[in-house]
Amino acid sequence: MAVRVAVAGASGYAGGEALRLLLAHPEAEIGALTGNSNAGQTLGALQPHLLPLADRVLEETTPEVLAGHDVVFLALPHGQSAAVAEQLGPDVLVIDMGADFRLKDAADWETFYGSPHAGTWPYGLPELPGARAALEGSKRIAVPGCYPTAVTLALFPAYAAGLAADEAVIVAASGTSGAGKAPKPHLLGSEVMGSMTPYGVGGGHRHTPEMIQNLSAVAGKRVAVSFTPTLAPMPRGILATCSAKAAEGVTAESLRAAYEKAYVDEPFVHLLPEGRWPATASVYGSNAVQVQVAYDEAVGRVIAISAIDNLTKGTAGGAVQSMNIALGLDETTGLSTIGVAP
Amino acid sequence: MAVRVAVAGASGYAGGEALRLLLAHPEAEIGALTGNSNAGQTLGALQPHLLPLADRVLEETTPEVLAGHDVVFLALPHGQSAAVAEQLGPDVLVIDMGADFRLKDAADWETFYGSPHAGTWPYGLPELPGARAALEGSKRIAVPGCYPTAVTLALFPAYAAGLAADEAVIVAASGTSGAGKAPKPHLLGSEVMGSMTPYGVGGGHRHTPEMIQNLSAVAGKRVAVSFTPTLAPMPRGILATCSAKAAEGVTAESLRAAYEKAYVDEPFVHLLPEGRWPATASVYGSNAVQVQVAYDEAVGRVIAISAIDNLTKGTAGGAVQSMNIALGLDETTGLSTIGVAP
Amino acid sequence: MAVRVAVAGASGYAGGEALRLLLAHPEAEIGALTGNSNAGQTLGALQPHLLPLADRVLEETTPEVLAGHDVVFLALPHGQSAAVAEQLGPDVLVIDMGADFRLKDAADWETFYGSPHAGTWPYGLPELPGARAALEGSKRIAVPGCYPTAVTLALFPAYAAGLAADEAVIVAASGTSGAGKAPKPHLLGSEVMGSMTPYGVGGGHRHTPEMIQNLSAVAGKRVAVSFTPTLAPMPRGILATCSAKAAEGVTAESLRAAYEKAYVDEPFVHLLPEGRWPATASVYGSNAVQVQVAYDEAVGRVIAISAIDNLTKGTAGGAVQSMNIALGLDETTGLSTIGVAP
Amino acid sequence: MAVRVAVAGASGYAGGEALRLLLAHPEAEIGALTGNSNAGQTLGALQPHLLPLADRVLEETTPEVLAGHDVVFLALPHGQSAAVAEQLGPDVLVIDMGADFRLKDAADWETFYGSPHAGTWPYGLPELPGARAALEGSKRIAVPGCYPTAVTLALFPAYAAGLAADEAVIVAASGTSGAGKAPKPHLLGSEVMGSMTPYGVGGGHRHTPEMIQNLSAVAGKRVAVSFTPTLAPMPRGILATCSAKAAEGVTAESLRAAYEKAYVDEPFVHLLPEGRWPATASVYGSNAVQVQVAYDEAVGRVIAISAIDNLTKGTAGGAVQSMNIALGLDETTGLSTIGVAP
């Protein structure tokens, strides 16, 4: 089966990561690559790590260029995906790595993004209950945000099992690639090396409603989320430290059992043995997720921690995983669980 | 006024930082330097950044070597300070940068450190209500832990003003120097660069009871603390992200007013203007503290964040600040609020 | 074709990288894993990024444990490979990632390593003239050192074409994984982050005679090498900046033509287009080599620069590439030219 | 003595570093701060590490604003200093941290900068023979480039003593702050962390003629320079690895004697004891220079290596040092030789 794939937005970090993974995918054939402001440049100049594509030239993001592919990955600024998707026809599998189609609640979208809601597509987090069924055969996929991926996978087993109360407090550290490739002073190497700093504090980060949506769905009740993202001096990786009041009667054993049940058959989620904790280096460049959970008896809280690579499982790897499901391929095709470490 | 100062444990990070600061202190005269396993080596080999002391030779930590000083800084493994302090006599100002004399509750000490409690000394966090009075003229000072310094300064104004409920959830990121200079595989550069990882999860970190002690004292009631430390890929710095349920009736304005009141006269604590957030790079190598606070209305939580340099304000700078108070010097003598950035 | 592979020294960086690559190799089946001081521990504890091997337990490095494999990778301290190899029998392909069998000149070995010379095996740098023929069908392979790999690939085309005079001046920067996993104070994250420092200055680095051996062989005359290695604040990667006086009549065009000729058919070496320069990030985790060359007319020198991943092409990737040749597999089997960036 | 100082270009890295040092200078009083594109913003927003100046507002760079100061530091893009300096009058000490007045040879200037030569001012590298005399009482100072500072201090004693032949080969690694604060994609943290890459290869870097000028002056003959700069993943620091053929009869002892003679009375240059090598971390944030020299007998080359902080000794520290001399102050006033490490 040869799947012809185009990537719109191939000059940025999400688009580049999609290409890195698709190059290793045995069924994918890389077709058109687009990037408006960089159209005409070679990929060798823009993504020098993608050696096999060094001579490929970026084209404009137009319907003509994107026509004739089985799958189109969109790595566009938010608000631009709907217009492109409409022109692609219902038989093309469109995978949006942006935010446009993640939220179900139009009011949430408008509050956090300040523009009209474009709609909701099947949500590409296969590990969530019911998600795989919605993805199978689908022609539209909304890839989750990187933080919601890490946070949801850290916490949902506790909520699904009724072991956590309805407020989660989350502090996550992200590598700088999560902030994209557009050059801004605070993202300069000189600024980020040696520094940790928070942003979007106090509930303002756009990924917050997506976390609430995911956790509330599995909990069967509204879960409130206090989310503080921080920028860490590393190129890749998210470490999400999450906690919630434990429900009545929770024990370390019942907690662990819930996580074992949730992840026993998951190919990408590794519930670590007791006593070991996730590290972003261990999942560098891979689609793996490391998860660990503890019960802090002194305060009666569930502490759940996950590590992912924000560009792989958090963006393009999650996208490829969902593409595999949608196309009826083995879910792990072309995806690795082996990190590049040290 | 010439103050003759000895440093016991001058080969490690805390001792080295004390020397860095004392070299810039106009009243300090650096006397004996000791370090048991490194006795006989030059400081030039062990602390090559301390150029003016390059030819000084480390001696054994004995009463004879430490005799004849006005002030002795102890940078020793925990459990060793009491024995050394006893031999120094009551007229010598002994400043313990280790943990031995921080906790008031002997049971807490024994639970977390597994050895008999040595006692309690005046606590060297001058910004805490009542702390300065206890330090003035004191001949014994227990320097706070680095995490408790960051966390207490982030949160205590909220507790002092009755604006935060009695459980705090804290996630802090620390530079690797906080883990000391003894070589261990997980602290190798190859391991830490590019990685974030938690440790001491679930309430086990030894700094937890110290945070509880500080916050409970200002709150006038027992405050529970959920504390998760993480190791960040940077040599120095702590970013502490702290939150607690807001008390009834809290507003963004009342919160800010409480912090302004707490810090208006503090020479080292900088409450940032609204909209700006602490960054560890901004306080690199300085005794300054950056603090910011927000009220997250959607979840009803106070979010307070601080950045310090773990070796300076978090250890040796806090020690010098307290020394200044104890000796009747201006509290800021020899201490800078200017970070080395970028 | 299923090739059963054992790795002796699986707990270190070279052994771990070999396993990372072998896990992705379609013909390799991973057999025994050994590591003397860590025998009995799981690979999950020692190499947490190798998720599929997390439950495998390290055994002692004994003939019994290593028996029954088609290929044995040795990642041992220098001086230990000969004894292990002898016990393995002549039909087993033994691939030594250590230094023991690289040098042809016994006196060089004794001068730089201070022990008796063990012998010389076919040299696993397939890009060198004549190297492939010696590797085909061989049962013993000496994997080049990481610096000699980078330096030889940067410079040999100039020497092979007679375009460079007989003294090369080389300054190379290496990531810290090149220094191994044994914990030493100067390799702590606190020490290496934010710092560049040289070592082995003045001709003392053990990789120097290997560079001389390689360059002299292609030049057909003795080439002298001034080599200064530096430690850079990154986990992986070598950037080798090499120069030599240009021979009479050299032009930028003749130089480029020599490099194009040398590398036109090489699957792993990418001679960059003019105006672009190698970056270690572009080859992170891959077996690719980026090379660029310039002629500095003002001083009449050839400047040749290469970037490799020291653990991949510089160690375990080069080893797998040579294994493929020795076994008659396609040379690129299981090896990627795609870097993990950003 | 109160010296009123203005800084033109206070929002960039050089200007910020000048302010960091001037804040610690006992005779300096900080006056006007300018920055054209950032005029109207507070320094707290632009340079958050300079806490004592947080509320100062940047003004436009006009003659009126800069009037009334004893000293004006210029941290402007090259080509802009002459026009500003002309308006300041001959009694004001003008210290140009840019390139405009460094080169004596107008043709060199025009070749490397492509604009008319503005002139030559006394050169602010006091360690060079004759430099102090030219600086004393001067009202104009050209601060050396960061690379020329590191390279000249590494090599000039060898040339001054006639111990090195007339071609130097230099490879230097610089922290990213050397590239300035203007955001460009290749300077993003995501790009620089984990990567080493060269630039300006083949003789094109603008600092090359300045090195030739300095070394030729002390050698009394034209010295050719092959210079390759590389960008290292750290915010600050330059490590310069320099070598040259040794002159006839050079020995390790004669070499060391030349360096000892050159630096015995220099307050900022630390010739390391034999066996120890410079590290940029050791001079982080300080005006110190670490130098070491070796004789590689096998190739007959002098290897000289220096480490500086590119922003301190390499820019603003060197500027303050020269200011002190020009004003008749002790040369070390307000300058530290203590690095911020680890």
Side-chain angles (χ1 to χ4, degrees):
Chain A
M1 173 178 181
V3 179
R4 195 155 167 81
V5 185
V7 175
S11 62
Y13 289 146
E17 183 74 350
L19 289 171
R20 185 177 77 84
L21 299 174
L22 291 167
L23 279 165
H25 194 289
E27 311 298 340
E29 196 183 297
I30 295 176
L33 308 179
T34 78
N36 289 350
S37 65
N38 299 295
Q41 294 192 52
T42 63
L43 214 61
L46 296 163
Q47 307 274 23
H49 60 299
L50 301 176
L51 185 51
L53 299 173
D55 297 330
R56 295 286 298 273
V57 176
L58 289 199
E59 302 177 81
E60 299 273 346
T61 309
T62 64
E64 292 71 32
V65 167
L66 295 178
H69 296 85
D70 303 305
V71 183
V72 176
F73 281 74
L74 303 181
L76 304 171
H78 72 81
Q80 302 188 4
S81 295
V84 175
E86 264 168 38
Q87 300 167 323
L88 290 172
D91 294 337
V92 178
L93 171 53
V94 184
I95 300 177
D96 186 19
M97 297 193 288
D100 295 20
F101 298 95
R102 292 172 188 160
L103 295 183
K104 292 177 178 159
D105 187 300
D108 273 353
W109 174 270
E110 283 156 27
T111 302
F112 280 84
Y113 290 87
S115 59
H117 189 222
T120 314
W121 288 355
Y123 189 70
L125 193 60
E127 292 83 1
L128 270 185
R132 283 190 178 90
L135 293 168
E136 281 163 20
S138 173
K139 292 299 182 185
R140 294 291 185 271
I141 296 172
V143 178
C146 51
Y147 284 122
T149 295
V151 167
T152 304
L153 294 175
L155 276 177
F156 98 79
Y159 281 105
L163 302 180
D166 54 358
E167 185 192 63
V169 177
I170 296 152
V171 179
S174 173
T176 53
S177 60
K181 206 174 182 174
K184 295 170 194 165
H186 76 285
L187 296 176
L188 284 172
S190 302
E191 302 292 319
V192 299
M193 287 185 285
S195 198
M196 291 282 307
T197 189
Y199 62 102
V201 185
H205 195 281
R206 287 169 164 171
H207 285 176
T208 309
E210 190 181 342
M211 298 175 195
I212 295 171
Q213 174 175 293
N214 292 351
L215 297 177
S216 299
V218 295
K221 59 180 176 182
R222 166 124 186 139
V223 174
V225 166
S226 163
F227 174 55
T228 308
T230 65
L231 195 66
M234 55 189 191
R236 288 172 175 244
I238 289 178
L239 185 79
T241 302
C242 314
S243 73
K245 270 292 193 205
E248 199 66 31
V250 165
T251 62
E253 292 68 33
S254 62
L255 204 50
R256 186 149 191 99
Y259 278 73
E260 280 171 352
K261 184 180 157 215
Y263 291 134
V264 61
D265 289 327
E266 284 299 338
F268 293 111
V269 186
H270 187 48
L271 178 64
L272 291 169
E274 292 182 61
R276 286 179 33 215
W277 292 91
T280 62
S282 295
V283 296
Y284 206 91
S286 96
N287 205 51
V289 184
Q290 288 192 329
V291 173
Q292 183 57 291
V293 66
Y295 176 53
D296 183 344
E297 215 174 331
V299 291
R301 290 186 79 89
V302 174
I303 320 286
I305 303 185
S306 66
I308 63 167
D309 183 315
N310 59 304
L311 291 180
T312 319
K313 178 60 179 167
T315 306
V320 170
Q321 183 183 352
S322 294
M323 174 191 83
N324 288 340
I325 296 171
L327 295 177
L329 298 169
D330 184 288
E331 187 174 330
T332 64
T333 309
L335 293 169
S336 169
T337 58
I338 307 166
V340 182
Chain B
M1 170 179 183
V3 180
R4 195 156 167 81
V5 186
V7 176
S11 63
Y13 289 146
E17 183 74 352
L19 289 170
R20 185 177 76 84
L21 299 174
L22 291 167
L23 280 165
H25 194 287
E27 312 297 341
E29 197 183 295
I30 295 176
L33 308 179
T34 77
N36 289 349
S37 65
N38 300 294
Q41 294 191 51
T42 63
L43 215 60
L46 296 164
Q47 307 274 22
H49 61 298
L50 301 176
L51 186 49
L53 299 172
D55 297 331
R56 296 287 298 274
V57 175
L58 289 200
E59 301 177 84
E60 300 271 347
T61 308
T62 65
E64 292 70 33
V65 167
L66 295 178
H69 296 85
D70 304 305
V71 183
V72 176
F73 280 74
L74 304 181
L76 303 172
H78 72 83
Q80 302 189 2
S81 295
V84 175
E86 264 169 37
Q87 300 168 321
L88 289 172
D91 294 338
V92 179
L93 172 53
V94 184
I95 300 178
D96 185 18
M97 298 193 286
D100 295 22
F101 298 95
R102 292 171 188 161
L103 294 183
K104 293 177 177 160
D105 188 298
D108 273 352
W109 174 269
E110 284 156 27
T111 302
F112 280 85
Y113 291 87
S115 60
H117 189 221
T120 313
W121 288 356
Y123 190 69
L125 192 61
E127 293 81 0
L128 270 186
R132 283 190 178 89
L135 293 169
E136 281 163 20
S138 174
K139 292 298 183 188
R140 294 291 185 270
I141 297 172
V143 178
C146 51
Y147 285 122
T149 295
V151 166
T152 305
L153 294 175
L155 277 178
F156 98 77
Y159 281 104
L163 302 179
D166 53 358
E167 184 193 65
V169 178
I170 296 151
V171 179
S174 173
T176 53
S177 60
K181 206 175 181 172
K184 294 170 194 165
H186 76 286
L187 297 175
L188 284 172
S190 302
E191 302 293 319
V192 299
M193 289 185 283
S195 198
M196 293 281 307
T197 188
Y199 62 102
V201 185
H205 195 281
R206 286 168 165 172
H207 286 175
T208 308
E210 190 180 344
M211 298 175 195
I212 295 170
Q213 175 175 293
N214 292 351
L215 298 177
S216 299
V218 295
K221 58 180 177 184
R222 167 125 186 138
V223 173
V225 165
S226 162
F227 173 54
T228 308
T230 65
L231 194 66
M234 55 190 193
R236 287 171 174 244
I238 289 177
L239 183 80
T241 302
C242 314
S243 73
K245 270 292 190 205
E248 200 66 30
V250 165
T251 62
E253 292 68 33
S254 62
L255 203 52
R256 186 149 191 100
Y259 278 73
E260 279 170 353
K261 184 180 158 218
Y263 290 134
V264 63
D265 289 327
E266 285 300 337
F268 293 111
V269 186
H270 187 47
L271 178 64
L272 291 169
E274 293 182 59
R276 286 180 31 216
W277 291 91
T280 62
S282 295
V283 297
Y284 207 92
S286 97
N287 206 50
V289 184
Q290 288 193 328
V291 173
Q292 182 57 290
V293 66
Y295 176 52
D296 182 344
E297 216 175 330
V299 291
R301 289 186 81 89
V302 174
I303 320 285
I305 302 184
S306 66
I308 64 167
D309 184 314
N310 59 304
L311 290 180
T312 319
K313 178 60 177 166
T315 305
V320 170
Q321 183 183 353
S322 295
M323 175 192 82
N324 288 339
I325 296 170
L327 296 176
L329 298 169
D330 183 288
E331 187 175 328
T332 65
T333 309
L335 292 169
S336 169
T337 58
I338 306 167
V340 182
Chain C
M1 172 177 180
V3 180
R4 195 154 167 82
V5 186
V7 175
S11 62
Y13 289 147
E17 183 74 352
L19 288 171
R20 186 177 76 84
L21 299 174
L22 291 167
L23 280 165
H25 194 289
E27 311 298 341
E29 197 182 297
I30 295 177
L33 308 179
T34 78
N36 290 348
S37 66
N38 299 295
Q41 294 191 51
T42 64
L43 213 61
L46 297 163
Q47 307 273 23
H49 60 298
L50 301 176
L51 185 51
L53 299 173
D55 297 330
R56 295 287 297 273
V57 176
L58 289 199
E59 301 177 83
E60 299 272 348
T61 309
T62 64
E64 292 70 32
V65 166
L66 295 177
H69 297 85
D70 303 305
V71 183
V72 177
F73 281 73
L74 304 180
L76 304 171
H78 73 81
Q80 302 189 3
S81 295
V84 175
E86 264 169 37
Q87 300 168 321
L88 289 171
D91 294 338
V92 179
L93 172 52
V94 184
I95 300 177
D96 185 18
M97 297 193 288
D100 295 21
F101 297 96
R102 292 172 187 160
L103 296 183
K104 292 177 178 159
D105 188 299
D108 273 353
W109 174 269
E110 283 155 27
T111 302
F112 280 84
Y113 291 87
S115 60
H117 189 223
T120 313
W121 288 355
Y123 190 68
L125 193 60
E127 293 81 2
L128 270 185
R132 284 190 177 90
L135 293 168
E136 282 164 19
S138 174
K139 292 299 181 185
R140 294 291 185 272
I141 297 172
V143 178
C146 51
Y147 285 123
T149 296
V151 166
T152 304
L153 294 176
L155 277 178
F156 98 77
Y159 281 104
L163 302 180
D166 54 357
E167 185 192 63
V169 178
I170 296 153
V171 179
S174 174
T176 53
S177 60
K181 206 173 181 175
K184 295 170 193 164
H186 75 286
L187 297 176
L188 284 172
S190 302
E191 302 292 320
V192 299
M193 287 185 284
S195 198
M196 292 282 308
T197 189
Y199 62 102
V201 185
H205 194 281
R206 287 168 165 172
H207 285 176
T208 308
E210 190 181 342
M211 297 175 196
I212 294 171
Q213 175 175 293
N214 292 349
L215 297 177
S216 299
V218 295
K221 59 182 177 182
R222 167 122 186 142
V223 174
V225 166
S226 163
F227 174 54
T228 308
T230 66
L231 195 65
M234 55 189 191
R236 288 172 174 243
I238 289 177
L239 184 79
T241 302
C242 314
S243 73
K245 271 292 193 207
E248 199 67 31
V250 165
T251 61
E253 291 70 31
S254 62
L255 204 51
R256 188 151 189 96
Y259 278 73
E260 280 172 352
K261 185 178 156 217
Y263 291 134
V264 61
D265 288 329
E266 285 299 338
F268 293 111
V269 186
H270 187 47
L271 178 64
L272 291 169
E274 292 182 58
R276 287 181 30 215
W277 292 91
T280 62
S282 296
V283 296
Y284 206 91
S286 96
N287 206 51
V289 183
Q290 289 192 329
V291 173
Q292 183 57 291
V293 65
Y295 176 53
D296 182 345
E297 214 175 330
V299 291
R301 289 186 80 88
V302 174
I303 320 286
I305 303 184
S306 66
I308 64 167
D309 183 315
N310 60 304
L311 290 180
T312 319
K313 178 60 179 168
T315 306
V320 170
Q321 182 184 351
S322 295
M323 174 191 83
N324 287 340
I325 295 171
L327 296 177
L329 297 170
D330 183 289
E331 187 175 330
T332 64
T333 308
L335 293 169
S336 169
T337 58
I338 307 166
V340 182
Chain D
M1 171 179 181
V3 180
R4 196 157 166 79
V5 186
V7 176
S11 63
Y13 289 145
E17 183 74 351
L19 289 170
R20 185 176 76 84
L21 299 174
L22 291 167
L23 279 165
H25 194 288
E27 312 298 342
E29 196 182 296
I30 295 176
L33 308 179
T34 77
N36 290 349
S37 65
N38 300 295
Q41 294 192 50
T42 64
L43 214 60
L46 297 164
Q47 308 274 23
H49 60 299
L50 301 176
L51 186 50
L53 299 173
D55 297 330
R56 296 286 298 274
V57 175
L58 288 200
E59 301 177 83
E60 300 271 347
T61 309
T62 64
E64 293 70 32
V65 167
L66 295 178
H69 297 85
D70 303 305
V71 183
V72 177
F73 281 74
L74 303 181
L76 303 171
H78 72 83
Q80 302 188 3
S81 295
V84 175
E86 264 169 38
Q87 299 168 322
L88 290 171
D91 294 338
V92 179
L93 172 52
V94 184
I95 300 177
D96 186 19
M97 297 193 287
D100 294 22
F101 298 96
R102 292 171 188 161
L103 295 184
K104 293 177 178 160
D105 188 299
D108 272 353
W109 174 269
E110 283 155 27
T111 301
F112 280 84
Y113 290 87
S115 61
H117 189 222
T120 313
W121 288 356
Y123 190 70
L125 192 60
E127 293 82 2
L128 270 185
R132 284 191 177 88
L135 292 168
E136 281 163 19
S138 173
K139 292 298 183 186
R140 295 290 185 271
I141 296 172
V143 178
C146 51
Y147 285 123
T149 295
V151 166
T152 304
L153 294 175
L155 277 178
F156 99 78
Y159 281 104
L163 302 180
D166 53 358
E167 184 193 63
V169 177
I170 296 152
V171 179
S174 173
T176 53
S177 60
K181 207 175 181 172
K184 293 169 194 166
H186 75 286
L187 297 175
L188 284 172
S190 302
E191 302 292 319
V192 300
M193 287 186 284
S195 198
M196 293 281 308
T197 188
Y199 62 103
V201 184
H205 194 280
R206 286 168 165 171
H207 285 176
T208 308
E210 190 181 344
M211 297 175 196
I212 295 170
Q213 175 175 293
N214 292 350
L215 297 177
S216 299
V218 296
K221 59 180 177 184
R222 167 122 187 141
V223 174
V225 166
S226 162
F227 173 54
T228 307
T230 66
L231 194 67
M234 54 190 193
R236 289 170 174 245
I238 288 178
L239 183 80
T241 302
C242 313
S243 73
K245 269 293 191 204
E248 200 65 31
V250 165
T251 61
E253 292 68 32
S254 63
L255 202 52
R256 187 149 190 99
Y259 277 73
E260 279 170 354
K261 185 179 158 217
Y263 291 134
V264 64
D265 288 328
E266 285 300 337
F268 293 112
V269 186
H270 187 47
L271 178 63
L272 291 169
E274 293 182 60
R276 286 180 31 215
W277 292 91
T280 61
S282 296
V283 296
Y284 207 92
S286 97
N287 206 50
V289 183
Q290 289 192 328
V291 173
Q292 183 56 290
V293 66
Y295 176 53
D296 183 345
E297 216 176 330
V299 291
R301 291 186 79 89
V302 174
I303 319 285
I305 303 185
S306 65
I308 64 167
D309 184 314
N310 60 305
L311 290 180
T312 320
K313 178 60 178 168
T315 306
V320 170
Q321 184 183 352
S322 295
M323 175 191 82
N324 288 340
I325 296 171
L327 296 176
L329 297 169
D330 183 289
E331 187 175 329
T332 64
T333 309
L335 292 169
S336 169
T337 59
I338 307 166
V340 182

